């Protein structure tokens, strides 16, 4: 592991994987983490949660506090019991922090990059805390630069967080030069997976119950992670409130409507951007072709050793729709139809733009 000093280093390029959650983004992080030129930043924005994109200007100590201060509310949806496969810190031997209430950056991001995430955490803390006041984007750039120095040999950072599509406008504003990848998956299958995921259940509850109060989880400027009210909501909800919320399984129409609303709002936030569209089904069907295209889009290249190492990772899964009755299938397909139509229209526009002379 390399030291985390202040010496000058070439600026990293950036990339963002945008998706609805439960659409194959963990797989994409695994693929990118095997690339020798890519700093794969997994679930950082999602783990930081209500403070991920605010405030717009702050000093290094406050920025690092957002990365390092556990949230009791978020710990109910990000812990070794609630998210066993995604929550990598739960697998760390002899962890320095409580895995059920750990710093957000330690939940997934650092164990994804290092076999000794606690040491990496300590070095990043020393570096980031002494930074002067600066725009939020500058602190993130410095954080990714410091992470890359410790890992070594990286040319581009690529962040992926479940549900990041809702923050597409914010992310484009903070990282205007980042390469964009829109990761999609069949709407009903995605929605069915979200229904059994604690973080998605919490998001649906907030969307349904707080929306009428003017707290719009999907608002392009006041979404979760950016709006000033979300830290207060997280503080007053506590452990017991979140535990009750995530114990409830949403109905099919409710989860399908949420997936559609998130998809439509997120696509609107992309505006005139022209991301690479990566379909989970295509990735599983023809992994070598699409992994190679992903490397090319990120301008990281597609080394033969990387392709050989990762083509076996995508594994098609049976559709969850097969377990539903015909009436249930009609219900969720109907709820997801607006989002599916929006995705199809957006993809057609991207394809048309790509073919123009």
């Amino acid at each position: 592991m390399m030291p985390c000093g202040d010496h000058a280093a070439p600026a990293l390029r950036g990339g963002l994987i945008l998706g609805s959650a439960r659409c194959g983004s963990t797989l994409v992080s695994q693929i990118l983490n095997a690339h020798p030129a890519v700093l794969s930043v997994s679930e950082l924005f999602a783990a930081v949660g209500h403070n991920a994109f605010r405030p717009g200007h702050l000093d290094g100590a406050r920025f690092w506090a957002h990365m390092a201060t556990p949230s009791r509310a978020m710990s109910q949806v990000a812990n070794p019991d609630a998210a066993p496969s995604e929550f990598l810190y739960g697998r760390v031997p002899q962890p320095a922090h409580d895995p059920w209430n750990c710093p957000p950056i330690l939940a997934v991001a650092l164990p994804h990059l290092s076999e000794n995430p606690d040491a990496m955490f300590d070095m990043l803390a020393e570096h980031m805390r002494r930074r002067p006041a600066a725009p939020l984007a500058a602190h993130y750039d410095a954080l990714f630069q410091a992470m890359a120095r410790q890992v070594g040999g990286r040319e581009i950072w690529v962040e992926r967080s479940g549900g990041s599509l809702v923050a597409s406008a914010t992310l484009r504003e903070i990282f205007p030069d980042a390469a964009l990848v829109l990761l999609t998956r069949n709407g009903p299958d995605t929605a069915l997976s979200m229904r059994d995921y604690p973080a998605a259940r919490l998001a649906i509850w907030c969307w349904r119950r707080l929306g009428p109060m003017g707290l719009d989880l999907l608002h392009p400027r006041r979404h979760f992670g950016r709006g000033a009210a979300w830290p207060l909501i997280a503080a007053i909800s506590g452990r017991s409130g979140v535990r009750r919320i995530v114990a409830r399984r949403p109905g099919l129409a409710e989860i399908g409507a949420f997936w559609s609303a998130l998809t439509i709002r997120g696509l609107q936030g992309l505006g005139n951007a022209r991301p690479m569209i990566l379909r989970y089904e295509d990735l599983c069907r023809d992994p070598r072709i699409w992994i190679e295209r992903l490397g090319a889009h990120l301008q990281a290249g597609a080394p033969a050793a990387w392709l050989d190492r990762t083509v076996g990772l995508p594994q098609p899964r049976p559709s969850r729709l097969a377990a539903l009755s015909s009436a249930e299938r009609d219900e969720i397909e109907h709820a997801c139809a607006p989002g599916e139509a929006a995705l199809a229209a957006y993809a057609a526009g991207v394809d048309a733009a790509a073919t123009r002379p």
Side-chain angles (χ1 to χ4, degrees), residues 2-3 8-10 15 75 123 128 137 157 180 237 262 282 301 309 332 342 344:
M2 299 177 66
S75 71
M123 282 187 273
M128 296 304 299
W157 58 262
L180 303 178
S237 60
L262 188 158
D282 291 342
R309 185 178 175 184
I332 196 165

Side-chain angles (χ1 to χ4, degrees), residues 23-298:
C23 60
S25 62
T26 299
L27 169 63
V28 174
S29 276
Q30 293 170 342
I31 291 170
L32 291 175
N33 198 34
H35 197 296
V38 175
L39 178 76
S40 177
V41 184
S42 185
E43 294 282 11
L44 179 63
F45 300 147
V48 176
H50 54 271
N51 285 320
F53 308 120
R54 59 172 302 279
H57 198 275
L58 69 170
D59 62 24
R62 185 177 180 187
F63 174 83
W64 183 250
H66 291 169
M67 300 294 113
T69 305
S71 163
R72 291 185 176 181
M74 291 301 292
S75 71
Q76 296 303 301
V77 297
N79 63 58
D81 292 333
S85 61
E86 287 86 356
F87 189 83
L88 301 181
Y89 193 67
R91 305 177 197 169
V92 173
Q94 298 181 323
H97 300 265
D98 179 3
W100 277 263
N101 192 36
C102 76
I105 197 172
L106 271 174
V108 182
L110 297 190
H112 182 65
L113 293 170
S114 172
E115 294 182 357
N116 191 349
D118 287 318
M120 193 174 185
F121 176 87
D122 291 340
M123 282 187 273
L124 290 172
E126 181 181 355
H127 175 70
M128 296 304 299
R129 282 174 178 155
R130 64 172 181 254
R131 283 181 52 79
L136 178 65
H139 289 302
Y140 272 122
D141 286 341
L143 176 66
F144 297 150
Q145 192 82 43
M147 293 165 72
R149 281 197 296 269
Q150 294 190 42
V151 176
R154 302 308 195 256
E155 300 170 6
I156 179 173
W157 58 262
V158 182
E159 204 281 345
R160 74 93 197 171
S161 283
S164 58
L165 182 59
V166 70
S168 57
T170 294
L171 289 167
R172 290 183 65 208
E173 180 182 311
I174 297 175
F175 308 109
D177 298 323
L180 303 178
V181 177
L182 174 60
L183 179 63
T184 71
R185 184 186 176 192
N186 171 271
D189 268 321
T190 306
L192 286 171
S193 182
M194 293 171 73
R195 184 171 67 155
D196 293 328
Y197 192 61
R201 291 183 179 184
L202 179 59
I204 294 165
W205 185 92
C206 290
W207 176 63
R208 282 292 195 198
R209 299 298 181 89
L210 302 183
M213 300 167 56
L215 296 172
D216 186 353
L217 184 83
L218 306 180
H219 191 281
R221 306 293 298 181
R222 297 189 298 275
H223 55 77
F224 185 72
R226 179 163 187 166
W230 294 111
L232 177 61
I233 297 298
I236 64 177
S237 60
R239 292 181 178 178
S240 59
V242 173
R243 191 180 298 117
R244 288 194 299 270
I245 291 167
V246 301
R248 173 185 173 271
R249 198 182 196 204
L252 295 175
E254 187 178 21
I255 186 60
F258 176 76
W259 177 84
S260 284
L262 188 158
T263 299
I264 292 168
R265 290 284 195 90
L267 293 176
Q268 291 171 347
L270 283 173
N272 61 356
R274 292 294 177 259
M276 173 189 177
I277 297 179
L278 178 59
R279 297 174 176 85
Y280 173 76
E281 293 80 6
D282 291 342
L283 180 60
C284 291
R285 187 182 305 111
D286 298 302
R288 183 173 290 271
I289 291 173
W290 287 98
I291 292 173
E292 186 172 14
R293 290 180 182 177
L294 177 62
H297 178 73
L298 296 173

